[in-house]
Amino acid sequence: MLRIWGRTSSSNVMKLLWLCEELGIPYERVDAGGAFGRTREPEYLAMNPNARVPTIEEPDGFTLWESNSICRYLVATRAPGHAMHPTEPRARARTERWMDWQLGHLNAPMTVIFFTYVRTPEEKRDMVATAAARNEAEALWDMVENALGDDPYLGGAEPSLADVALGPYLHRWLNLPITRKAQPRLEAWHARLKQRPGYATHIAVPMS
């Protein structure tokens, strides 16, 4: 059985758990990272020298790290041709563009905001940096707001890895205690995602 190493509070682990629910992939999960430690142990470093989560481990010993790469791999090995990762070149490119955009642009400001309000004691918060990150994130989410158009999901009519990559950050953006402009398409998209059991179970949960 597929083994997923990582704690459930990690946004990158959340992606995998949600995707496994969508594709019906059985797995076992091992707590690692954060308060659980383990990522600096030799056994884990042999699988993932970054000492971060998630990492997956196949029964034959194959391991893989980097959440978006793992998502691609899981579709390719468990559900090739699935709408989650379209095979048509342009549809696939549009999907993967959002996956890369999440890593290259959205992740940094969203991490600052999340850590400020969820994982940093109030007396140690850098509110100047957080305000700048909030402004940057709002401009980025405006891009998603516009890109959604009339489509129910970021990838079009069906959920795709674009939704999986951005889904954890969307929940945080709409639930962190910050001021936000009205973004009705984001809110409608979030409401649709919450109707999906895997998203409701693994992502639309209290932040920690």
Side-chain angles (χ1 to χ4, degrees):
M1 183 180 294
L2 177 73
R3 179 176 295 160
I4 299 174
W5 293 79
R7 65 192 190 280
T8 58
S9 60
S10 162
S11 58
N12 289 321
V13 174
M14 290 175 179
K15 297 176 191 177
L16 307 192
L17 302 180
W18 175 25
L19 181 60
C20 283
E21 295 288 344
E22 289 281 348
L23 300 182
I25 301 173
Y27 64 89
E28 64 171 315
R29 187 185 58 80
V30 180
D31 279 321
F36 298 102
R38 307 189 77 156
T39 59
R40 294 289 178 181
E41 296 175 1
E43 176 190 11
Y44 192 87
L45 290 172
M47 298 188 293
N48 184 347
N50 286 303
R52 296 190 176 186
V53 295
T55 299
I56 62 166
E57 182 181 6
E58 293 276 36
D60 65 358
F62 174 80
T63 60
L64 186 65
W65 39 270
E66 285 298 326
S67 61
N68 287 351
S69 292
I70 294 170
C71 286
R72 295 182 181 97
Y73 170 81
L74 290 177
V75 178
T77 56
R78 268 67 174 188
H82 195 283
M84 271 286 173
H85 197 199
T87 55
E88 193 279 319
R90 293 186 178 182
R92 175 166 288 201
R94 287 192 295 269
T95 297
E96 295 192 340
R97 170 189 59 190
W98 287 113
M99 300 173 78
D100 293 339
W101 181 84
Q102 176 256 305
L103 291 173
H105 299 276
L106 186 65
N107 187 64
M110 286 300 301
T111 297
V112 171
I113 302 168
F114 175 77
F115 269 76
T116 294
Y117 288 105
V118 178
R119 296 185 181 166
T120 302
E122 188 170 357
E123 67 276 9
K124 295 184 178 180
R125 294 173 181 173
D126 184 342
M127 299 312 296
V128 174
T130 301
R134 192 221 69 89
N135 293 341
E136 181 181 357
E138 185 170 76
L140 293 171
W141 284 115
D142 275 341
M143 291 175 57
V144 184
E145 172 82 4
N146 293 332
L148 279 164
D150 295 325
D151 290 328
Y153 300 102
L154 190 55
E158 300 291 336
S160 72
L161 293 184
D163 301 88
V164 172
L166 270 63
Y169 302 90
L170 174 67
H171 181 70
R172 291 176 175 181
W173 174 247
L174 294 177
N175 286 277
L176 284 164
I178 56 176
T179 58
R180 288 175 298 274
K181 66 167 65 173
Q183 294 171 313
R185 289 171 179 161
L186 289 185
E187 292 169 9
W189 178 36
H190 187 235
R192 281 188 290 273
L193 292 180
K194 288 194 294 183
Q195 296 302 309
R196 307 192 73 85
Y199 191 91
T201 300
H202 299 295
I203 296 177
V205 296
M207 291 176 281
S208 62

